Amino acid sequence: MVRVYKVFAITSFVVFFILYFLLVLVPFHSKPRLSHTDQVCLDKENCGISHTGDIVLEGILKISSDKNSNSLNPGRVPKLTSKDFQFSVNTLRVDGIPENIEEVDYSNLTLNFTRLNGWPSAFPHDLESYRQNVLKTTYFNKNTQWVQEIAPYTWHHRGKAEDYYINHTDSREKAAILVLVRNKELNQILHSMRQLEDRFNRKNRYPYIFLNDKPFSNKFMEFVARATDSNTTFSIIPKEHWSVPSDINMKKVKSNFKVLDRLDIPYAKSMSYRHMCRFNSGFFYKHPLLHSLKYYWRLEPDIDFYCDLKYDPFTFMRKNGKLYSFVVSLLELEMTIPTLWEHTLSFANATNLSSTLFSMFAKQTKPYPGKFKGIDSSRYNLCHFWSNFEIASLDFYRSPEYQQYFDYLDSTGNFFYERWGDAPIHSLAVGLFLNYNQLHFFNDIGYRHDTFARWPEPKVSIHNSCVVPKSIKENFDKADGSCLKHYLSYREYNWDRSDSVNGLLRLRRDRW
Ligand SMILES: Nc1nc2c(ncn2[C@@H]2O[C@H](COP(=O)(O)OP(=O)(O)OP(=O)(O)O)[C@@H](O)[C@H]2O)c(=O)[nH]1
Ligand SMILES: *[C@@H]1O[C@H](CO)[C@@H](O)[C@H](O)[C@H]1NC(C)=O
Ligand SMILES: *[C@@H]1O[C@H](CO)[C@@H](O)[C@H](O)[C@H]1NC(C)=O
Ligand SMILES: *[C@@H]1O[C@H](CO)[C@@H](O)[C@H](O)[C@H]1NC(C)=O
Ligand SMILES: *[C@@H]1O[C@H](CO)[C@@H](O)[C@H](O)[C@H]1NC(C)=O
Ligand SMILES: *[C@@H]1O[C@H](CO)[C@@H](O)[C@H](O)[C@H]1NC(C)=O
Ligand SMILES: *[C@@H]1O[C@H](CO)[C@@H](O)[C@H](O)[C@H]1NC(C)=O
């Protein structure tokens, strides 16, 4: 018995030591300083830190008091070194994140966060009951209700770059950098902001808007506001825009989760991912903070920009009548959208739609650049613009056509029953409602999200100051999975109702 214990104790010790060495010592000894391209993981889901049972390796950001003070040079991400990070083996919990809305305590904010001009600014102590009351009250105007609902959780930080405009004309467009993000993605979003500030926004000073389905933590807001000289505004999403509609059959939703899970589809069983996709499809442009804006630039955590952008892309969009733009175009996972094409054709038929761009998304039966006889209107070619980067017009989404398309799609319940992404929906809407000239490919933006990276060749260029890390081997533009060639060689075809009807009939016939 004693021997068994001994062996067990020694084995456990050795295993523990090896794990400790691999997970804790190695990363920090080989990377003593964090540069802006390094990433520190605070997020057990998204950084692939392995965990067993409910034990995860959790990073706790410990910022020494001098780094956390107001004297910190604003507009700079605090220079963090490995000493600022203390890692410990802990149970599943991420530091500083309010689990419930009731836990929010704003009394410890150190930066000068303010309420927004013209918004409610005094609230009862119990924010959650205040919110519930607002939700129960009938308002004549939805926007008023949303403002009342989210105001207690909305904070604004005036960036010091605004001083410049006191004595200079402000030629900025009505535009903002729009970020949907979670508290636990603090490091990843600081990474993205550092890149965007360096490559573009340090000169252009566009404000940031941060949205979340839960209130932002003090820590999140403090760090993020210090990472830019621009204005930053933090808010939550109105409940109505992040909820399961009452006619959704949750039993069916759950049983479909299992089907996708068996097929190994990412986020097969994630409800929050579905909320996110639905929000990005049909609600973000209704958020009260975007009310007076014309354009947005969508920014996601953990992306890279490789090149300087030496002009204002919002001005470019306005002057050239562009309404939607992209940098990466790729193929969607078919199993996440089994009926999206059919529903889109039904919509196109029902609204007697004609379009010169929609055939870009139909399956090709002959390769480009051939004659356009070769489209199969019954099938989606799965090409879409990757929506984690987008610069686009908000009025495009606010148009009655787009709203009607979204409402129709939403009425099918397939944001939940299937796993429709916002990217194919934005793209198909572009195809339905825009023409080729209103769409733009930002070739001069070098960009990475996940493992997909693309840039204007060469990898290092003086012309627009590109630097692509040596470790990135493949320019995705040239990969088989990229739809860029397809976009560049597109030939207009006048899609009309007969194409929608033929597509539908063939699709239904093929199914039997
Ligand atoms: N506030 C909040 N943001 C979310 C939630 N889920 C996703 N997001 C944000 O939505 C964006 C995309 O979510 P991810 O989970 O990173 O999805 P992804 O793996 O990039 O998805 P693909 O682009 O499809 O590969 C990121 O900006 C996330 O921060 C959520 O539940 N709450
Ligand atoms: C805020 O500060 C007070 C007093 O300094 C402290 O007791 C409290 O725990 C702090 N709250 C949070 C959420 O950090
Ligand atoms: C905080 O900001 C508001 C609005 O920008 C300003 O009026 C106020 O003077 C600031 N307070 C401090 C202490 O800086
Ligand atoms: C920045 O915020 C201030 C208020 O703090 C506001 O007056 C100004 O218009 C904002 N600038 C932009 C570009 O949103
Ligand atoms: C703006 O100009 C006025 C008058 O010339 C000057 O007094 C003030 O200091 C200037 N403000 C800034 C922020 O430069
Ligand atoms: C197309 O729409 C018309 C009118 O709404 C409808 O009668 C017809 O059945 C639709 N065609 C198909 C193939 O669904
Ligand atoms: C459908 O649209 C076409 C072209 O826009 C038009 O000529 C036709 O009359 C419309 N048909 C119906 C039934 O509205």
Side-chain angles (χ1 to χ4, degrees):
M1 240 2 226
V2 174
R3 256 185 69 162
V4 173
Y5 275 122
K6 250 192 199 159
V7 170
F8 180 71
I10 292 168
T11 317
S12 316
F13 183 77
V14 170
V15 168
F16 177 81
F17 184 78
I18 291 172
L19 279 177
Y20 184 77
F21 180 79
L22 286 178
L23 295 175
V24 180
L25 298 180
V26 169
F28 281 169
H29 280 251
S30 54
K31 284 186 200 166
R33 279 197 84 81
L34 298 164
S35 78
H36 74 284
T37 49
D38 289 322
Q39 238 225 118
V40 172
C41 187
L42 290 184
D43 172 0
K44 50 100 194 149
E45 257 177 39
N46 287 347
C47 320
I49 291 183
S50 57
H51 57 94
T52 344
D54 59 354
I55 304 296
V56 299
L57 186 71
E58 177 198 14
I60 294 178
L61 194 52
K62 265 190 43 188
I63 302 303
S64 52
S65 54
D66 60 320
K67 291 192 174 165
N68 202 13
S69 78
N70 283 332
S71 66
L72 193 114
N73 180 9
R76 295 253 154 235
V77 177
K79 266 224 158 66
L80 303 177
T81 69
S82 57
K83 289 196 198 84
D84 294 314
F85 292 86
Q86 172 197 294
F87 278 82
S88 59
V89 177
N90 222 326
T91 48
L92 212 155
R93 191 185 64 81
V94 184
D95 181 48
I97 299 175
E99 294 283 324
N100 302 309
I101 281 171
E102 295 97 305
E103 285 173 43
V104 168
D105 174 5
Y106 295 125
S107 59
N108 294 19
L109 284 172
T110 61
L111 286 182
N112 185 11
F113 285 99
T114 61
R115 297 305 187 175
L116 284 169
N117 263 341
W119 278 43
S121 58
F123 308 101
H125 179 69
D126 184 350
L127 296 185
E128 182 54 11
S129 7
Y130 164 87
R131 191 184 190 201
Q132 292 308 326
N133 270 333
V134 173
L135 290 174
K136 271 184 264 159
T137 312
T138 316
Y139 286 78
F140 177 66
N141 178 316
K142 271 283 171 204
N143 192 63
T144 313
Q145 177 165 25
W146 297 333
V147 167
Q148 295 290 331
E149 178 195 345
I150 69 181
Y153 307 99
T154 301
W155 288 101
H156 172 77
H157 185 255
R158 181 181 180 278
K160 98 179 158 67
E162 291 297 314
D163 290 347
Y164 174 86
Y165 298 100
I166 296 172
N167 286 340
H168 295 83
T169 36
D170 187 350
S171 59
R172 289 174 295 185
E173 305 294 326
K174 288 193 177 310
I177 296 147
L178 180 61
V179 190
L180 173 72
V181 64
R182 289 162 284 202
N183 284 304
K184 65 180 178 181
E185 293 167 305
L186 173 57
N187 267 281
Q188 291 90 327
I189 200 60
L190 289 176
H191 177 107
S192 300
M193 288 175 72
R194 181 73 271 146
Q195 301 264 334
L196 185 60
E197 288 293 313
D198 286 353
R199 289 318 200 159
F200 168 70
N201 202 45
R202 200 201 317 252
K203 295 190 302 282
N204 297 270
R205 305 166 169 127
Y206 277 99
Y208 288 81
I209 295 172
F210 294 86
L211 301 180
N212 189 349
D213 57 311
K214 302 203 175 70
F216 282 112
S217 69
N218 293 359
K219 184 173 94 183
F220 185 97
M221 296 193 287
E222 302 258 358
F223 271 77
V224 163
R226 286 185 170 103
T228 173
D229 282 348
S230 287
N231 284 356
T232 43
T233 308
F234 303 85
S235 191
I236 56 168
I237 293 165
K239 197 160 207 101
E240 197 180 328
H241 300 170
W242 194 282
S243 302
V244 181
S246 56
D247 57 352
I248 294 290
N249 175 348
M250 280 310 286
K251 270 209 183 113
K252 183 172 162 192
V253 171
K254 290 280 156 65
S255 85
N256 287 1
F257 278 12
K258 288 185 202 138
V259 177
L260 288 187
D261 194 40
R262 260 180 260 127
L263 295 166
D264 252 340
I265 299 292
Y267 308 107
K269 301 200 283 184
S270 169
M271 207 56 189
S272 68
Y273 189 83
R274 286 172 173 76
H275 280 302
M276 181 274 285
C277 292
R278 183 169 172 263
F279 172 76
N280 279 326
S281 299
F283 298 103
F284 74 96
Y285 51 90
K286 293 182 175 175
H287 196 281
L289 287 175
L290 274 56
H291 217 62
S292 59
L293 301 180
K294 291 279 184 205
Y295 301 93
Y296 69 96
W297 177 329
R298 176 154 150 198
L299 182 70
E300 286 207 1
D302 187 29
I303 58 92
D304 288 321
F305 289 114
Y306 298 134
C307 309
D308 280 354
L309 194 57
K310 293 182 174 163
Y311 58 91
D312 185 329
F314 297 118
T315 306
F316 172 88
M317 299 281 287
R318 179 177 55 76
K319 287 201 170 150
N320 294 284
K322 303 288 185 188
L323 298 180
Y324 189 88
S325 71
F326 70 96
V327 288
V328 174
S329 172
L330 74 182
L331 298 171
E332 182 57 296
L333 297 170
E334 192 159 16
M335 287 317 296
T336 65
I337 48 162
T339 66
L340 179 60
W341 185 251
E342 180 178 358
H343 283 297
T344 301
L345 292 183
S346 288
F347 173 83
N349 171 39
T351 56
N352 187 24
L353 187 122
S354 26
S355 159
T356 55
L357 190 56
F358 192 64
S359 69
M360 183 184 278
F361 299 99
K363 190 105 178 166
Q364 233 71 52
T365 52
K366 275 188 191 165
Y368 281 102
K371 271 226 148 211
F372 226 119
K373 278 178 194 153
I375 57 161
D376 174 356
S377 56
S378 72
R379 297 190 56 196
Y380 181 20
N381 62 18
L382 305 176
C383 282
H384 64 289
F385 309 119
W386 219 14
S387 60
N388 48 73
F389 168 97
E390 271 178 337
I391 297 176
S393 154
L394 287 161
D395 288 337
F396 164 57
Y397 296 95
R398 291 169 183 147
S399 67
E401 306 90 87
Y402 184 87
Q403 193 58 46
Q404 198 187 2
Y405 177 53
F406 171 77
D407 289 343
Y408 170 69
L409 294 180
D410 197 34
S411 73
T412 68
N414 286 327
F415 284 99
F416 297 99
Y417 301 135
E418 299 185 2
R419 207 217 65 188
W420 289 358
D422 53 288
I425 288 168
H426 289 188
S427 297
L428 292 177
V430 163
L432 291 172
F433 308 125
L434 302 188
N435 57 52
Y436 195 78
N437 297 334
Q438 294 171 310
L439 177 57
H440 184 66
F441 164 53
F442 274 109
N443 185 36
D444 32 19
I445 295 183
Y447 181 73
R448 179 200 61 79
H449 175 266
D450 283 353
T451 53
F452 297 84
R454 61 82 47 199
W455 58 90
E457 295 288 359
K459 267 181 136 176
V460 178
S461 88
I462 301 209
H463 166 62
N464 52 359
S465 317
C466 299
V467 183
V468 180
K470 286 203 185 97
S471 58
I472 307 262
K473 297 286 183 253
E474 186 189 43
N475 189 337
F476 184 67
D477 288 356
K478 296 173 185 164
D480 288 343
S482 167
C483 291
L484 183 64
K485 296 177 224 80
H486 189 76
Y487 159 83
L488 292 174
S489 57
Y490 180 66
R491 294 196 175 190
E492 266 183 23
Y493 169 84
N494 290 314
W495 184 287
D496 65 20
R497 186 180 225 164
S498 66
D499 295 291
S500 307
V501 169
N502 291 339
L504 279 170
L505 294 176
R506 179 152 174 202
L507 185 157
R508 285 169 190 161
R509 195 180 61 227
D510 289 353
R511 193 184 290 147
W512 298 114

